[in-house]
Amino acid sequence: YAQLDMQYLCVQAWLEALRTTTDPAVRLCLERELQTLRRQLQALSRTHAQPAVRDMYELMCRKVER
């Protein structure tokens, strides 16, 4: 679960960087990579062996989709 906590914090930081950046090139790069991450989170939210971990990935995915 420590790894999931770290992943969640990274998603939060990524979203904060996207929210606060004023550079259009940086914004575009962050948005593209964030969509790639969202697709990976969606896959993990369906396929991970542990239900609690799937739920955490679903939570992260919803944060990215906002």
Side-chain angles (χ1 to χ4, degrees):
Y1 289 102
Q3 183 178 358
L4 279 175
D5 289 342
M6 184 63 74
Q7 290 171 343
Y8 184 79
L9 290 173
C10 288
V11 167
Q12 291 287 94
W14 201 329
L15 292 170
E16 180 66 17
L18 183 60
R19 187 181 69 77
T20 59
T21 189
T22 57
D23 185 324
V26 170
R27 183 171 200 60
L28 182 61
C29 181
L30 286 171
E31 287 173 346
R32 285 182 179 167
E33 292 301 319
L34 199 55
Q35 291 313 309
T36 299
L37 175 64
R38 182 186 57 80
R39 287 190 297 273
Q40 292 171 341
L41 290 171
Q42 282 177 328
L44 287 167
S45 73
R46 291 186 303 265
T47 62
H48 198 280
Q50 298 175 4
V53 175
R54 287 195 307 262
D55 291 344
M56 189 64 174
Y57 284 129
E58 177 64 30
L59 173 70
M60 284 188 255
C61 189
R62 280 187 271 146
K63 288 199 92 41
V64 170
E65 289 173 348
R66 288 188 194 164

